[in-house]
Amino acid sequence: MSMFRAKKLDLGCFVNIKTIRDHTKRKVFAENEPERQALRYIIRNMSLPQRARVQAQVQLAQMHCYTRPTQIRNRCIEGGKGRGILRDFKMSRYMFRLNALAGNLPGVKKASW
Amino acid sequence: MAVPRSRILDLIKVQCRIFSHTFNPEGARLGNKVLRQRLKGPALAAYYPRKMATFKDLQKAYPQWETYDEEQEDRLEALKIIKARGKGAPKKKRTAAESKKFKGKKRAAAVAAA
């Protein structure tokens, strides 16, 4: 959602709407994480009154979808792709191959045996 | 030798006080595991590299220095070549009438028929 988006582009990697969106979701989640955890604590605490727990459940369910951690997906910083990402390098498998063969990734070497 | 339960509970109580745990002998679900979790928001938000200074910023910061932006110069040169060959983008239309003049075959045919 554009209301969460930074007014000025603050990404230094490959930029398309999907990476911008994912970046925004990450920032929104980081901002709202304490609140979410507090609500989750209330929901899971059986010593609290049932009514308060149900209220907390409703409140958590009604939070914006951008505040959910499940909305976040690792994307390629070189090409913005969403599948086949190597987590250690934050790159899709093809971009990883290109960069590794070009020698841009320290310590990565093509194996042959 | 059996130790009475009350004695063990006392021991657990003291243990909880020393290590600042919650004393919960019945094992009731208090949701403390949520509070024990670390916040992962900052780590997740740091996934994408942030914007760094660009060539334009450098030029703006030091206007008195002579700089050469290779990419930009290459682009402008290519544009010049294209324009010289007459293959460049058309000029921007400034008025509504100008932009309407040649817009699609159908409109042109309709205008001709009328």
Side-chain angles (χ1 to χ4, degrees):
Chain A
M1 297 283 159
S2 57
M3 68 233 192
F4 295 122
R5 205 173 295 157
K7 293 288 168 284
K8 206 172 165 217
L9 188 68
D10 59 347
L11 276 178
C13 61
F14 179 87
V15 175
N16 64 11
I17 186 60
K18 291 171 199 166
T19 50
I20 295 174
R21 205 173 280 149
D22 192 54
H23 180 60
T24 310
K25 284 175 184 175
R26 283 165 190 274
K27 285 195 293 188
V28 173
F29 168 67
E31 220 170 84
N32 286 278
E33 198 183 8
E35 191 184 336
R36 289 190 70 89
Q37 288 292 77
L39 288 173
R40 287 183 65 219
Y41 168 70
I42 295 171
I43 292 167
R44 277 161 182 68
N45 194 341
M46 303 266 278
S47 67
L48 292 176
Q50 189 66 33
R51 192 181 161 75
R53 291 175 58 206
V54 171
Q55 272 174 348
Q57 267 177 9
V58 170
Q59 210 178 324
L60 187 65
Q62 278 178 347
M63 281 179 84
H64 197 276
C65 68
Y66 268 40
T67 63
R68 280 181 207 147
T70 51
Q71 291 272 327
I72 293 169
R73 183 171 182 94
N74 287 350
R75 301 197 78 91
C76 176
I77 57 170
E78 292 272 311
K81 277 173 78 78
R83 292 191 186 197
I85 306 300
L86 298 173
R87 186 173 294 180
D88 290 344
F89 300 96
K90 303 180 182 177
M91 259 178 232
S92 69
R93 57 200 176 88
Y94 185 58
M95 280 300 174
F96 168 73
R97 183 183 141 84
L98 289 186
N99 278 296
L101 291 181
N104 296 337
L105 308 175
V108 177
K109 197 174 156 190
K110 190 170 164 74
S112 169
W113 65 86
Chain B
M1 193 179 104
V3 184
R5 182 165 165 75
S6 61
R7 191 112 174 88
I8 291 178
L9 282 184
D10 281 345
L11 178 68
I12 292 174
K13 208 173 202 172
V14 172
Q15 198 181 0
C16 287
R17 205 188 63 227
I18 290 172
F19 295 109
S20 61
H21 294 165
T22 24
F23 180 60
N24 180 15
E26 290 90 32
R29 297 184 181 188
L30 298 179
N32 275 319
K33 75 170 190 182
V34 174
L35 299 186
R36 273 202 306 275
Q37 286 167 1
R38 289 172 190 235
L39 295 181
K40 51 188 177 173
L44 284 177
Y47 181 82
Y48 294 108
R50 295 306 176 99
K51 194 169 191 163
M52 286 178 293
T54 58
F55 207 93
K56 241 183 190 172
D57 297 330
L58 188 72
Q59 280 174 333
K60 219 179 260 175
Y62 299 100
Q64 70 274 23
W65 288 12
E66 195 178 320
T67 49
Y68 184 77
D69 186 354
E70 201 171 332
E71 267 179 41
Q72 177 78 341
E73 298 297 330
D74 280 354
R75 192 180 74 85
L76 292 179
E77 204 185 315
L79 270 182
K80 232 181 245 171
I81 293 169
I82 288 171
K83 280 248 169 88
R85 286 169 53 212
K87 302 283 187 187
K91 232 181 182 177
K92 179 91 182 154
K93 299 281 187 279
R94 289 291 166 200
T95 57
E98 244 177 20
S99 65
K100 262 185 195 163
K101 214 171 177 183
F102 306 107
K103 209 173 185 186
K105 276 181 191 169
K106 273 182 196 167
R107 182 184 288 269
V111 169

